[in-house]
Amino acid sequence: MNSPHSPGASWFRDLVIYEVYVRAFRDSNGDGIGDLKGLTEKIGYIRDLGVGAVWLLPIFPSPRRDDGYDISDYRGIHPDLGTMDDFRELLDRAHAAGLRVLTDLVLNHTSDQHRWFQSARYGPGHPFHDYYVWSPNPGRYRDARIIFPDFEPSNWTFEPLCNLYYWHRFYHHQPDLNYDNPEVRREMLDVARFWLDMGVDGFRVDAAPYLFEREGTPCEGLPETHAFLRELRGLCDRYQPARLLIAEANQRPSELVKYFGAGDEFHMAFDFPLMPRLFQAVRAEKAQPLEEVLRARPALPAGCQWAMFLRNHDELTLETVSEETRKFLWDELAQDPRARLNMGIRRRLWPLMNGGRRQIELLHGLILSLPGCAVLYYGDEIEMGDDLSLGDRDGVRTAMQWTMGVNAGFSAAPAEKLAVPVVHDAEYHYAGRNVQSFDRRPTSFLNWLRRMVKVHSVDPIFAGGGMRLVPCAHPSILAFTRELGDAAMLCVFNLSRYVQPAVLDLTPWKGRVPVEEIGKAWFPQIGEAPYLFTMGPHSFIWCRLESV
Ligand code: BGC
């Protein structure tokens, strides 16, 4: 990776990103709450994963009714997590270790406890009233869907102080900002500038599609919203090196691609269309869902790419898949009704895959070799489980497991004071799944992942190479090449639980020799005949096609 201070707008092309929930990561002062100093202590651990950036879930003052996505002060640090000096220290230490730091930028809404809304509630004429979207009745913008249908019956909530309804796309305690008001646009660009000036390397822009509303539309991805997002990009481009913008826009491919603009909007967008298909392909043991979504992947403007992920702090959303696929995934992955939330599944990666290491390696192999950046979620590297007894998405946000000691080494506080619980259930107990134990064991998933991230990161073909699907008649085999100049890397995946033959037409590379990328084993030279790989259950292989 480039050092954080080297020039060039594409420093993120070979990035692997590690997502951290600070409150649950490491408590430095024994108050039971993970904090910024605790995260700073662990910078070495994150660097040794081989990742290039750490993305922090919201760290700002907030009543925390949506875990910090309900912000009450955009320019502060939540006192539970530390101080602004702690944040500066984190930035310095991360940068010194060669890691970039990304934060969430929550543009769409504030907390109802934000001073703007507290004043706005008194009605027209009161300061900041026009910072929010009001209506005398809840009938406007009927075409906008409800994003949290398990919790909110409407996108409007009545405010008795002014006898008006206010608009919100998420929880009712998160009023949407009114982007038609130029003051709001200016304020939010100032917020972004504030953090960029401090040295933040980029933003994961939360809920990007919903900034503007227009009657008769779904109020998502409107041209006005894109125009504002381009302004935000313009701001990021004024920094050297340019700062990174990643869109959280849970949209279908044809809509999602608009968030890249003409290369003048987001540098990256989370690949929401791919994510559920990865699980579908593994559970159905079929390559087809992946081939379809990869063929439908729109071409991106230069300098743009996908951010691929398996799991994150939210539910595995199934909003953009067909009803049939949604039912399949619900039946396969969420037999326990408690696992279902809104239009998705609130489980961590390991329980989702019933602890199947081969399947999980396969999934990581995919996001580390398809074009784009891979985003990892804290704890998945140590096979962390979840806690379905907790409400909403809290079950996937439990304490990081560092050791087999007290509170899994997360905190020295008495267990009853922990801000987030530690997973105790027998199957995923922290005594068996923690960094210390996994670190020592060469065969652990943690060490496997470190090796794979390293192999991925040192090879420019994964960062900049194009991709071509290699036809294969076998329904369980997915094969593609990554290509850069004359170099080619063949990637073959067996989605089946059984050994399978992968018979591939490799004649375009006739004369070359496949050399396996990890162990460097040489395979027979490619000739005219179809080429056979014997693939173990849920296995994958990366082979450089060497000219000899
Ligand atoms: C975040 C969620 C949050 C929502 C509302 C999402 O996109 O990822 O965790 O609840 O935005 O802010």
Side-chain angles (χ1 to χ4, degrees):
M1 195 194 99
N2 297 333
S3 91
H5 303 293
S6 64
S10 61
W11 54 264
F12 55 83
R13 282 204 78 88
D14 55 353
L15 207 58
V16 177
I17 301 173
Y18 185 69
E19 174 187 357
V20 169
Y21 178 39
V22 178
R23 179 170 286 266
F25 202 59
R26 165 74 189 142
D27 167 19
S28 70
N29 60 2
D31 66 356
I33 309 171
D35 47 42
L36 292 168
K37 276 188 192 293
L39 173 58
T40 306
E41 276 175 27
K42 298 296 183 185
I43 284 295
Y45 168 75
I46 298 173
R47 179 205 52 216
D48 291 348
L49 288 172
V51 305
V54 55
W55 152 34
L56 315 187
L57 295 185
I59 50 174
F60 318 104
S62 156
R64 294 197 50 257
R65 294 179 69 191
D66 183 16
D67 241 342
Y69 282 97
D70 48 332
I71 295 175
S72 53
D73 173 6
Y74 281 98
R75 288 183 170 79
I77 298 289
H78 195 295
D80 285 357
L81 306 182
T83 63
M84 203 57 95
D85 281 344
D86 295 340
F87 184 67
R88 287 199 185 91
E89 167 86 11
L90 168 70
L91 279 177
D92 288 348
R93 294 275 296 279
H95 287 164
L99 282 175
R100 313 255 181 180
V101 178
L102 312 173
T103 63
D104 252 281
L105 180 65
V106 185
L107 294 174
N108 180 64
H109 46 266
T110 68
S111 158
D112 60 1
Q113 300 306 304
H114 195 291
R115 67 183 176 89
W116 297 338
F117 190 72
Q118 285 302 310
S119 165
R121 302 164 65 207
Y122 286 93
H126 285 269
F128 308 113
H129 183 77
D130 293 339
Y131 272 37
Y132 296 90
V133 182
W134 301 95
S135 172
N137 61 66
R140 294 170 75 195
Y141 310 138
R142 277 185 194 284
D143 297 324
R145 69 192 163 117
I146 294 170
I147 296 168
F148 287 165
D150 286 4
F151 301 97
E152 297 294 343
S154 165
N155 286 326
W156 292 103
T157 290
F158 185 63
E159 172 51 66
L161 275 180
C162 60
N163 220 10
L164 291 170
Y165 291 82
Y166 62 88
W167 176 249
H168 54 87
R169 292 308 300 269
F170 294 91
Y171 288 114
H172 64 277
H173 53 77
Q174 289 168 312
D176 274 30
L177 285 163
N178 172 19
Y179 275 80
D180 274 317
N181 181 346
E183 278 295 291
V184 166
R185 302 201 293 273
R186 188 190 51 76
E187 291 266 17
M188 297 316 285
L189 289 173
D190 279 353
V191 166
R193 194 175 295 115
F194 175 84
W195 294 103
L196 295 175
D197 284 348
M198 199 174 299
V200 165
D201 298 290
F203 299 120
R204 177 256 193 194
V205 177
D206 183 64
Y210 314 111
L211 306 186
F212 282 80
E213 300 76 33
R214 291 289 177 262
E215 206 52 77
T217 75
C219 301
E220 299 188 17
L222 295 173
E224 296 83 346
T225 294
H226 286 289
F228 176 78
L229 294 169
R230 282 195 298 275
E231 256 189 84
L232 176 65
R233 168 63 181 269
L235 172 67
C236 292
D237 285 351
R238 287 203 278 280
Y239 289 79
Q240 197 50 256
R243 307 301 166 86
L244 170 63
L245 284 180
I246 311 180
E248 192 230 6
N250 185 5
Q251 307 279 305
R252 291 172 200 283
S254 56
E255 275 303 305
L256 189 49
V257 71
K258 296 182 185 161
Y259 291 82
F260 296 103
D264 56 356
E265 209 169 312
F266 284 92
H267 303 92
M268 287 197 216
F270 283 101
D271 199 338
F272 279 99
L274 175 73
M275 185 272 293
R277 268 85 181 187
L278 290 164
F279 292 98
Q280 185 189 358
V282 171
R283 291 309 290 230
E285 304 184 38
K286 291 209 163 43
Q288 189 193 10
L290 289 175
E291 284 168 357
E292 275 174 17
V293 75
L294 292 170
R295 283 207 181 92
R297 252 186 175 186
L300 302 186
C304 294
Q305 64 183 348
W306 297 107
M308 293 172 287
F309 65 107
L310 298 169
R311 287 296 57 250
N312 62 17
H313 62 290
D314 286 328
E315 69 275 28
L316 190 171
T317 80
L318 300 173
E319 277 160 317
T320 61
V321 298
S322 68
E323 249 171 67
E324 192 192 349
T325 303
R326 188 177 310 133
K327 181 171 181 324
F328 172 79
L329 287 172
W330 261 333
D331 290 349
E332 283 288 318
L333 304 175
Q335 287 99 352
D336 184 333
R338 293 175 307 164
R340 299 186 186 191
L341 180 75
N342 299 317
M343 292 289 264
I345 303 170
R346 53 182 201 118
R347 296 229 72 168
R348 264 191 179 266
L349 182 62
W350 282 79
L352 265 180
M353 291 284 102
N354 296 320
R357 173 146 171 192
R358 281 200 301 257
Q359 289 96 320
I360 290 171
E361 288 186 359
L362 186 77
L363 288 166
H364 281 87
L366 282 160
I367 63 166
L368 286 170
S369 56
L370 285 167
C373 282
V375 185
L376 310 176
Y377 185 48
Y378 85 96
D380 285 349
E381 73 278 20
I382 50 160
E383 307 184 3
M384 256 171 71
D386 52 28
D387 186 345
L388 280 177
S389 71
L390 303 173
D392 200 348
R393 290 149 293 173
D394 292 350
V396 302
R397 303 176 184 181
T398 58
M400 179 67 178
Q401 299 164 188
W402 295 103
T403 68
M404 61 176 71
V406 177
N407 300 329
F410 158 65
S411 167
E416 68 277 8
K417 285 190 72 186
L418 297 188
V420 288
V422 175
V423 172
H424 280 97
D425 88 65
E427 210 179 334
Y428 287 97
H429 199 283
Y430 64 84
R433 296 170 193 243
N434 61 73
V435 170
Q436 193 179 46
S437 314
F438 274 44
D439 196 34
R440 286 187 192 138
R441 195 160 18 106
T443 55
S444 69
F445 181 71
L446 173 65
N447 281 318
W448 177 88
L449 186 62
R450 283 174 174 154
R451 283 193 295 276
M452 298 310 289
V453 170
K454 195 164 167 205
V455 170
H456 159 95
S457 301
V458 297
D459 200 322
I461 210 163
F462 287 128
M467 189 203 87
R468 211 184 332 171
L469 283 169
V470 176
C472 179
H474 195 301
S476 296
I477 303 291
L478 176 78
F480 56 85
T481 49
R482 298 297 309 276
E483 294 172 37
L484 187 64
D486 191 43
M489 179 83 77
L490 174 69
C491 307
V492 189
F493 297 81
N494 174 16
L495 294 148
S496 155
R497 75 186 75 180
Y498 303 115
V499 175
Q500 302 291 351
V503 181
L504 305 173
D505 174 7
L506 297 183
T507 44
W509 294 278
K510 193 177 138 201
R512 293 208 189 187
V513 172
V515 179
E516 197 275 327
E517 183 70 356
I518 321 287
K520 306 293 178 210
W522 282 53
F523 278 59
Q525 192 167 27
I526 299 168
E528 290 289 354
Y531 199 95
L532 169 73
F533 287 97
T534 303
M535 302 293 297
H538 289 129
S539 65
F540 70 96
I541 186 168
W542 293 344
C543 282
R544 183 169 287 283
L545 302 180
E546 296 281 8
S547 304
V548 283

